Amino acid sequence: MSSQKVRKIVVMGSRSVGKSTLIVQFVENFFCDSYYPTIENTFRKIIKYKGIEFECEIFDTAGQDEFTILSPKYAVGVQGYILAYSVDSRTSFEMTKIVRDKILSFFGTNWVPLVLVGNKTDLHSQREVSAEEAIELAKSWNCEAIECSAKTNENIDKIFDQMLLTIEKVSSPPAETRSGCVIF
Ligand SMILES: Nc1nc2c(ncn2[C@@H]2O[C@H](COP(=O)(O)OP(=O)(O)OP(=O)(O)O)[C@@H](O)[C@H]2O)c(=O)[nH]1
């Protein structure tokens, strides 16, 4: 029997923001310059994080727009979401808000483990979304924002480390004191 913990992670966001490319960079360590629209795809990678091995199942989704309905297969049993936009596209940044709302309304909750990811930081001169703006948005969502480039491999590992950290916080919360009560 496997002692690995399985973590299901879904990557969502507008078309062409680099969802597939950042997953491929993370799992297979190369940059794919071509654009092939995704229908759906699943990747697997073992990540050792804080001495524990996690078997990550990463679901790559077709690009979303405001009309896309969230499929239950991207929600049932899923532990974390990577919401990606491209720093050179304000529209894709705005789309993360719509996609997050759909996820929250599916679960009927106001928070899910999520990392906000701004890809294509190598496109300096075409930037439309500032890092500060993304940090502000993530703060309002009580989550982390990470900028990356799937092209240069900047911060790609960090995204998945942060995702696991966020999931771990809810899956195995430490014993802590809240409102004077000790929670075990
Ligand atoms: N300059 C630059 N280009 C990138 C980066 N990441 C992805 N791309 C390019 O952006 C294009 C779209 O990338 P994809 O990974 O296919 O985008 P996607 O979000 O999976 O697209 P859909 O499948 O339509 O949802 C491709 O030509 C990639 O090579 C990056 O960090 N920098």
Side-chain angles (χ1 to χ4, degrees):
M1 202 172 76
S2 168
S3 61
Q4 279 157 357
K5 295 186 178 189
V6 178
R7 294 288 178 254
K8 289 190 178 190
I9 297 163
V10 174
V11 184
M12 300 181 101
S14 299
R15 287 184 67 174
S16 196
V17 296
K19 297 181 294 299
S20 308
T21 313
L22 77 84
I23 299 170
V24 168
Q25 180 63 272
F26 178 64
V27 176
E28 295 167 10
N29 287 107
F30 77 91
F31 173 69
C32 175
D33 212 1
S34 320
Y35 174 46
Y36 305 105
T38 305
I39 298 171
E40 61 177 37
N41 218 343
T42 308
F43 295 80
R44 283 190 174 74
K45 180 166 175 165
I46 309 289
I47 309 177
K48 200 161 184 186
Y49 181 71
K50 293 196 172 171
I52 302 166
E53 284 197 340
F54 293 91
E55 184 187 336
C56 293
E57 267 186 308
I58 306 164
F59 294 88
D60 186 10
T61 63
Q64 284 87 46
D65 61 27
E66 54 272 53
F67 306 111
T68 312
I69 294 165
L70 181 70
S71 164
K73 71 179 168 221
Y74 298 138
V76 178
V78 170
Q79 283 127 336
Y81 291 90
I82 291 171
L83 280 196
Y85 64 95
S86 175
V87 300
D88 70 334
S89 161
R90 174 150 298 276
T91 313
S92 71
F93 181 65
E94 296 302 324
M95 189 56 61
T96 61
K97 302 174 189 173
I98 294 171
V99 174
R100 176 178 174 268
D101 285 346
K102 287 182 187 177
I103 296 168
L104 294 183
S105 67
F106 185 98
F107 287 104
T109 181
N110 59 12
W111 189 85
V112 287
L114 180 157
V115 181
L116 179 65
V117 169
N119 188 35
K120 306 196 189 182
T121 51
D122 56 286
L123 299 178
H124 305 283
S125 60
Q126 293 158 53
R127 190 185 265 274
E128 290 185 0
V129 183
S130 70
E132 293 71 27
E133 224 177 321
I135 291 167
E136 247 348 272
L137 180 64
K139 211 190 264 179
S140 75
W141 292 353
N142 193 17
C143 76
E144 295 298 319
I146 295 175
E147 286 196 341
C148 70
S149 168
K151 185 170 187 172
T152 64
N153 201 8
E154 181 201 12
N155 280 347
I156 297 296
D157 286 353
K158 194 174 166 189
I159 297 168
F160 291 88
D161 281 352
Q162 183 58 49
M163 184 78 267
L164 286 181
L165 175 68
T166 309
I167 295 171
E168 280 316 279
K169 274 188 191 157
V170 281
S171 316
S172 0
E176 62 180 77
T177 305
R178 279 202 204 119
S179 321
C181 301
V182 177
I183 301 168
F184 291 107

